[in-house]
């Protein structure tokens, strides 16, 4: 039986995902066969697994940290909000149905939660049989009183799996001692006993100034502080869900890129290579932002969990006219997945997968019609990018509910090499200004990124490799945890 530890947080964004990734990397460097695990995740950033399912992007990153290929058991329940009241429920990699939030979280949802717990424990048991260690991530806070009944994400799982827990809190938010003590107080006696210690995250300043508070916390709770992690400036890792709206300071950038942030934007991690590229001035812009404040060379339409609703929001914004003007002046446009669908002639939803609005007109920039379908398309793919004067190899993944068909002859953007046949994907407009594709991860390969930048009007001498940056950042986190946490005690906790 494998050893395990669960990281829960006092709040969302306390640092759970980062701590789990760091612990996975530490153990992987020690040649331990380690796996990440998150019973339930709610996020719009996801990844396609090697076994043909879908998991949260944070668990994909943690799998990379653990040197493991992606699998559905790392995140057996994934909730993808499609509106303020509905979410697509994905169980062990496959989308089941859309449930009203009140039905899922309320009394009517308890039977479903029991079934979800069965799937969670089934996945966990498989991992226990194969791995030497499992690092588990909770969701949000274990002290959400309204979500306690039937909980499968935090203490409900920890009790069922009988695993020890450490709680992490973000001191940068303020009130860290209240967060930790308050969270502990709201747990049951058995859950309190399961908590083996605390980690304080994002500390700035002189540690001696915090010592009296640490002494009080340990005396008040009887739990040890296992580590004080410093605030890490310029830490760049795939976000679980939050959009990094802050700009990165760069000098002498040569290409301006904006990504439209509509209400249900998804998989915005696609654009990390652009956001971090030293020659690219990159910004996320909300639909309520004034286009006049964001002169740009490239406008990107990202993926979306509700393509028709987000398309309607875009049409109602100033960006609708701004895009037409942008193209008239020779600007470039890129559409990925749902953004690609928006650029077409029509989108229909006859099965009411995402909305009850039936069929709507697209923006009409690309010769495709799209119909949303009940079966989600999930696939890791590879092929050639057909942009510019030469083809380059590209890999990525597809994750969408729609099927698009060409309405006239056009130039495809990608040629995919399937095991059985060759498939064409996407469109490059006749004037060469618009590129649309279903392919996520398009910018991750250095050659493909350089080719798209050249298509956009800029040739860079830098071979920018996001995978190398990701590895550097994972090792940086692991080094920090080893330096500032008591790894001997953490290992002892895992062995209990």
């Amino acid at each position: 039986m494998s050893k395990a530890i669960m990281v829960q947080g006092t709040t969302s964004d306390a640092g759970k995902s980062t701590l789990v990734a760091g612990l996975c990397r530490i153990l992987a460097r020690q040649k331990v066969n380690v796996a990440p695990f998150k019973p339930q995740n709610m996020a719009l950033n996801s990844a396609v697994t090697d076994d043909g399912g879908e998991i949260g992007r944070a668990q994909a990153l943690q799998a990379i940290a653990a040197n493991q290929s992606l699998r559905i058991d790392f995140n057996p329940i994934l909730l993808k909000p499609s509106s303020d009241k509905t979410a697509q429920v994905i169980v062990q990699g496959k989308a089941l149905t859309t449930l009203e939030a009140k039905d899922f979280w309320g009394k009517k949802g308890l039977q479903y939660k029991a079934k979800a717990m069965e799937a969670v424990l089934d996945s966990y048991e498989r991992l226990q049989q194969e791995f030497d260690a499992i690092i588990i991530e909770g969701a949000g806070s274990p002290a959400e009183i309204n979500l306690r009944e039937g909980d499968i994400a935090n203490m409900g799982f920890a009790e069922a799996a009988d695993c020890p827990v450490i709680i992490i809190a973000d001191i940068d938010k303020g009130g860290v001692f209240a967060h930790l003590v308050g969270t502990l107080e709201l747990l049951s006696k058995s859950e309190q006993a399961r908590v083996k210690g605390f980690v304080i995250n994002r500390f700035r300043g002189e540690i001696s100034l915090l010592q009296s508070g640490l002494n009080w916390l340990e005396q008040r709770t009887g739990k040890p502080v296992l580590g004080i992690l410093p605030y890490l400036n310029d830490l760049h890792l795939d976000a679980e869900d939050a959009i990094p709206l802050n700009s990165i300071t760069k000098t002498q950038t040569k290409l301006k890129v904006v990504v439209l942030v509509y209400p249900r934007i998804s998989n915005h991690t696609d654009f990390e290579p652009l956001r971090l590229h030293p020659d690219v001035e990159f910004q996320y812009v909300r639909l309520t932002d004034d286009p006049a404040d964001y002169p740009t060379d490239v406008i990107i339409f990202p993926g979306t969990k509700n393509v028709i609703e987000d398309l309607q929001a875009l049409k109602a914004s100033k960006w609708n006219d701004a895009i037409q003007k942008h193209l008239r002046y020779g600007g470039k446009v890129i559409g990925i997945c749902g953004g690609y669908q928006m650029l077409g002639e029509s989108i229909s939803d006859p099965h009411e997968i995402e909305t009850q609005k039936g069929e709507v007109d697209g923006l009409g920039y690309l010769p495709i019609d799209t119909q949303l379908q009940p079966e989600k398309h999930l696939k890791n793919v590879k092929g050639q990018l057909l942009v510019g004067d030469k083809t380059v190899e590209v890999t990525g993944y597809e994750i969408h509910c729609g099927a698009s068909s060409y309405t006239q002859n056009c130039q495809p953007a990608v040629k995919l090499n399937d095991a059985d046949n060759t498939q064409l994907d996407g469109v490059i407009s006749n004037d060469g200004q618009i590129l649309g594709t279903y392919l996520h991860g398009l910018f991750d390969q250095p050659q493909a990124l350089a080719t798209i930048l050249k298509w956009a009007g800029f040739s860079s001498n830098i071979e920018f490799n996001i995978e190398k940056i990701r590895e550097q950042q994972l090792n940086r986190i692991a080094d920090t945890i080893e330096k500032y946490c008591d790894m001997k005690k953490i290992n002892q906790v895992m062995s209990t």
Side-chain angles (χ1 to χ4, degrees):
M1 191 67 68
S2 58
K3 57 184 182 179
I5 192 169
M6 187 172 193
V7 177
Q8 297 183 12
T10 57
T11 62
S12 294
D13 196 36
K16 298 183 293 291
S17 298
T18 302
L19 182 56
V20 169
L23 292 174
C24 284
R25 176 49 58 95
I26 288 170
L27 293 175
R29 294 194 304 200
Q30 296 172 356
K31 307 303 181 185
V32 175
N33 188 24
V34 59
F37 183 71
K38 184 161 186 171
Q40 176 178 283
N41 197 350
M42 177 176 278
L44 287 174
N45 290 338
S46 60
V48 176
T49 63
D50 288 6
D51 47 358
E54 184 179 2
I55 61 174
R57 191 71 203 174
Q59 282 59 67
L61 176 69
Q62 291 160 358
I64 293 170
N67 295 333
Q68 305 292 350
S69 58
L70 309 191
R71 62 169 69 186
I72 57 175
D73 287 330
F74 292 160
N75 176 208
I77 304 294
L78 175 61
L79 307 177
K80 302 186 76 172
S82 52
S83 73
D84 291 341
K85 295 184 178 181
T86 60
Q88 185 180 61
V89 181
I90 297 165
V91 178
Q92 292 181 322
K94 299 297 183 184
L96 296 186
T97 184
T98 297
L99 298 179
E100 290 290 332
K102 62 182 180 181
D103 291 336
F104 183 77
W105 298 116
K107 293 290 185 183
K108 294 180 180 179
L110 291 181
Q111 183 178 4
Y112 174 81
K113 288 183 182 179
K115 294 179 180 179
M117 179 63 94
E118 290 180 12
V120 164
L121 293 177
D122 177 56
S123 288
Y124 183 65
E125 288 169 7
R126 278 199 291 269
L127 297 182
Q128 283 185 304
Q129 299 302 316
E130 182 175 343
F131 293 92
D132 299 322
I134 304 174
I135 312 297
I136 307 159
E137 180 185 346
S141 163
E144 301 290 350
I145 301 302
N146 57 311
L147 302 179
R148 297 271 292 162
E149 190 175 5
D151 170 54
I152 65 175
N154 289 298
M155 283 299 179
F157 170 80
E159 295 270 76
D162 190 23
C163 67
V165 172
I166 59 176
I167 297 179
I168 186 170
D170 178 7
I171 196 171
D172 196 54
K173 289 184 171 72
V176 69
F177 298 113
H179 283 173
L180 288 167
V181 173
T183 297
L184 197 65
E185 286 293 325
L186 290 173
L187 302 179
S188 70
K189 294 298 182 182
S190 63
E191 293 167 348
Q192 290 174 355
R194 194 168 294 284
V195 177
K196 304 303 180 183
F198 306 123
V199 172
I200 293 176
N201 191 27
R202 299 191 181 105
F203 177 71
R204 311 175 195 241
E206 175 56 50
I207 191 69
S208 61
L209 299 177
L210 191 64
Q211 192 59 53
S212 61
L214 300 179
N215 295 340
W216 176 89
L217 179 65
E218 292 185 336
Q219 183 177 9
R220 173 70 171 74
T221 64
K223 311 289 184 183
V225 177
L226 300 172
I228 311 292
L229 296 175
Y231 193 103
L232 295 179
N233 290 303
D234 300 321
L235 179 63
H236 303 301
L237 286 173
D238 306 50
E240 182 171 48
D241 206 30
I243 297 173
L245 292 174
N246 56 307
S247 300
I248 298 174
T249 301
K250 303 174 185 177
T251 59
Q252 298 181 336
T253 54
K254 302 175 176 112
L255 187 74
K256 294 181 179 180
V257 175
V258 300
V259 174
L260 301 178
V261 179
Y262 14 79
R264 295 299 166 190
I265 181 175
S266 65
N267 282 69
H268 59 76
T269 49
D270 281 343
F271 312 114
E272 283 299 281
L274 293 170
R275 191 174 78 91
L276 299 179
H277 197 293
D279 288 330
V280 176
E281 181 182 320
F282 179 95
Q283 288 181 297
Y284 287 104
V285 295
R286 296 184 175 93
L287 296 184
T288 53
D289 291 333
D290 190 338
D293 295 333
Y294 299 93
T296 186
D297 302 303
V298 182
I299 297 175
I300 295 181
F301 290 59
T304 167
K305 188 60 192 69
N306 195 320
V307 63
I308 290 179
E309 295 285 352
D310 280 352
L311 174 59
Q312 300 289 65
L314 173 60
K315 287 180 177 180
S317 74
K318 292 182 179 180
W319 284 94
N320 192 32
D321 291 336
I323 292 160
Q324 297 178 34
K325 181 179 178 180
H326 173 77
L327 289 169
R328 285 199 306 270
Y329 280 84
K332 297 298 178 76
V333 169
I334 298 174
I336 306 292
C337 197
Y340 167 48
Q341 295 172 348
M342 289 183 187
L343 292 167
E345 296 173 0
S346 70
I347 303 172
S348 62
D349 190 1
H351 306 286
E352 298 185 353
I353 305 301
E354 297 179 356
T355 182
Q356 296 180 343
K357 294 187 176 179
E359 180 173 334
V360 299
D361 291 334
L363 296 175
Y365 294 118
L366 294 177
I368 61 167
D369 288 330
T370 298
Q371 184 180 100
L372 303 187
Q373 300 176 335
E375 187 71 21
K376 183 177 285 191
H377 188 82
L378 299 167
K379 194 172 186 180
N380 289 309
V381 296
K382 59 182 179 180
Q384 292 80 42
L385 181 64
L386 308 177
V387 177
D389 54 3
K390 64 178 181 179
T391 61
V392 297
E393 297 298 315
V394 65
T395 61
Y397 60 98
E398 294 183 30
I399 180 168
H400 53 91
C401 291
S404 297
S405 57
Y406 298 129
T407 59
Q408 63 185 58
N409 291 332
C410 57
Q411 180 185 346
V414 181
K415 181 171 70 174
L416 300 175
N417 301 325
D418 191 87
D420 300 320
N421 57 10
T422 298
Q423 296 182 337
L424 300 177
D425 168 77
V427 178
I428 299 173
S429 62
N430 291 334
D431 59 13
Q433 289 182 247
I434 305 173
L435 187 159
T437 177
Y438 274 117
L439 192 62
H440 292 283
L442 183 64
F443 306 105
D444 285 3
Q445 295 90 59
Q447 278 193 314
L449 175 59
T451 298
I452 293 172
L453 291 178
K454 185 177 180 181
W455 168 80
F458 166 62
S459 294
S460 175
N461 295 323
I462 298 173
E463 185 176 284
F464 188 82
N465 192 322
I466 191 65
E467 292 182 0
K468 287 183 179 179
I469 291 177
R470 188 178 288 121
E471 283 296 309
Q472 291 167 355
Q473 297 296 306
L474 287 169
N475 285 324
R476 180 188 179 196
I477 293 168
D479 292 342
T480 302
I481 293 171
E482 286 186 315
K483 182 176 180 180
Y484 292 98
C485 287
D486 191 333
M487 286 304 302
K488 183 177 180 180
K489 285 186 179 179
I490 290 175
N491 280 318
Q492 288 173 347
V493 168
M494 290 183 65
S495 299
T496 57

